[in-house]
Amino acid sequence: MVGRARKAKLFVDEHGDTPGNHYWHRFMSLYYVEHPSTLGKYAYSRFSSLEPLEQVYIGELKNAFEVWFDVLHANPPSEPTAFQKRFLDEPMSSLMIIDETLVYDIFFRFIYEMDIKREDVSERLDALLVDDKIPYPYLFEVSCYFYIIATRIFADENFDNKEIQFFRAMFEAINSLKEFTSKHDAYLQEKNKELHKKISGKGGKNKWSKIRAEVIRLLKEEISSGQYLGRFNSNADLTEYLLPMVEKYIRICDIKSPDDLFYTLESWSTSPKSDISALYGLLVI
């Protein structure tokens, strides 16, 4: 939506170039990963020998590892897996602070060197994928095992059509990694909503009282005009309509604004027994 888009960063702000030029240069470069040296010495030493698809995956895996590592230490499981135990040791957090590439070296040595047989991988996947309600951080570990199947199990054993099997396992590795990052993003959004509600319940209503008063004034003005009664298709449409007027009020009065004004107005419009939500109800179809 436009209101949210205003807060979003443009592609050129993030990457310093247009999407077309950015990806053209990446396609034409030797490595798709922009800074393979940040993977740590061990992975970097192997990087040039990897298949192009692996290079892309390893870059994404390294980024996801940082997220997974933080989640693991923030909420250690009561019964950690063998994989998780490797990274729950006390020195690990210290190493991450001193030199995070040392932790990457430990991680990638596990990926490429740990002695593991197909039966071991199957057993660990059986334990992780026991049902569809597994904790989402486990999907990171699942992705690692599929990558091990793709690059080590199929390479070490005598299989027909190895290339096909490689791509099938890589698809599962990539899909599991994507699912992990997507579910983590959804988890963070939910936590932010809970935090926002908590803050609102502890005086958030009073904190933005001037803005709330202006929103109520604008809504009553629209209702009294009779022009817009039932003309808006959703709360979001009405919020989008009000947003520039509320932003103008904030600028003129030089008062502090919520970090995400659009989301704040949206939350007021859906809050039960709220004066603002009641007024929204008169204007929205």
Side-chain angles (χ1 to χ4, degrees):
M1 282 173 278
V2 177
R4 287 195 177 107
R6 286 178 184 158
K7 300 291 183 181
K9 290 183 180 178
L10 296 173
F11 187 95
V12 69
D13 295 331
E14 284 283 295
H15 301 280
D17 208 342
T18 63
N21 287 336
H22 173 80
Y23 283 105
W24 180 258
H25 291 311
R26 290 192 75 182
F27 295 153
M28 297 301 289
S29 67
L30 180 60
Y31 303 129
Y32 195 80
V33 176
E34 294 179 3
H35 304 290
S37 60
T38 62
L39 298 169
K41 292 179 182 178
Y42 179 77
Y44 183 50
S45 68
R46 302 179 58 95
F47 199 75
S48 60
S49 64
L50 300 180
E51 294 286 340
L53 180 59
E54 288 182 68
Q55 292 182 350
V56 176
Y57 172 78
I58 288 299
E60 296 301 321
L61 187 67
K62 176 252 184 181
N63 295 333
F65 172 77
E66 295 173 2
V67 173
W68 176 83
F69 187 88
D70 289 341
V71 171
L72 179 67
H73 281 265
N75 300 291
S78 56
E79 297 182 8
T81 65
F83 180 86
Q84 292 166 348
K85 285 177 182 176
R86 286 175 171 266
F87 302 98
L88 281 172
D89 292 340
E90 193 63 37
M92 279 292 177
S93 296
S94 301
L95 279 178
M96 202 69 167
I97 295 171
I98 297 169
D99 184 357
E100 62 186 17
T101 60
L102 295 175
V103 182
Y104 299 151
D105 286 342
I106 294 169
F107 172 59
F108 285 114
R109 284 185 186 279
F110 164 82
I111 293 291
Y112 290 112
E113 287 188 356
M114 186 194 70
D115 184 23
I116 189 167
K117 297 182 175 62
R118 182 172 66 88
E119 292 76 13
D120 298 329
V121 176
S122 294
E123 183 179 328
R124 295 183 186 190
L125 285 176
D126 289 345
L128 291 166
L129 297 173
V130 64
D131 58 41
D132 61 355
K133 294 182 180 179
I134 63 169
Y136 79 84
Y138 284 17
L139 292 167
F140 176 82
E141 188 172 343
V142 168
S143 179
C144 292
Y145 286 129
F146 279 128
Y147 180 63
I148 288 172
I149 291 173
T151 57
R152 290 171 56 191
I153 305 299
F154 286 136
D156 294 342
E157 299 187 26
N158 186 22
F159 287 97
D160 294 330
N161 299 320
K162 281 187 178 181
E163 186 176 6
I164 294 174
Q165 312 308 342
F166 166 81
F167 281 112
R168 284 175 175 169
M170 281 301 300
F171 170 81
E172 295 296 344
I174 293 167
N175 192 51
S176 298
L177 195 66
K178 181 181 178 182
E179 193 174 357
F180 163 71
T181 54
S182 296
K183 289 192 173 182
H184 180 68
D185 288 343
Y187 167 79
L188 291 180
Q189 288 179 13
E190 192 60 34
K191 295 298 286 184
N192 285 337
K193 285 182 181 178
E194 290 175 6
L195 180 62
H196 182 83
K197 287 181 180 178
K198 188 175 181 181
I199 293 172
S200 296
K202 290 184 177 181
K205 184 173 179 178
N206 294 328
K207 183 177 181 181
W208 311 117
S209 58
K210 290 184 178 179
I211 298 175
R212 285 183 65 90
E214 176 63 11
V215 171
I216 291 171
R217 187 192 70 79
L218 289 170
L219 289 169
K220 287 182 175 179
E221 189 176 87
E222 294 300 328
I223 292 169
S224 63
S225 72
Q227 184 179 358
Y228 290 101
L229 285 175
R231 292 281 297 278
F232 296 95
N233 293 321
S234 67
N235 282 24
D237 287 342
L238 179 50
T239 301
E240 196 66 58
Y241 172 76
L242 293 173
L243 193 64
M245 292 183 280
V246 177
E247 288 175 335
K248 181 180 179 181
Y249 169 80
I250 289 171
R251 284 196 305 272
I252 292 173
C253 296
D254 192 25
I255 58 178
K256 186 174 175 59
S257 171
D259 291 335
D260 190 335
L261 182 60
F262 184 94
Y263 177 74
T264 300
L265 299 183
E266 275 281 83
S267 66
W268 289 345
S269 76
T270 58
S271 179
K273 298 181 180 178
S274 159
D275 45 2
I276 290 179
S277 67
L279 294 171
Y280 261 70
L282 296 173
L283 292 165
V284 175
I285 294 174

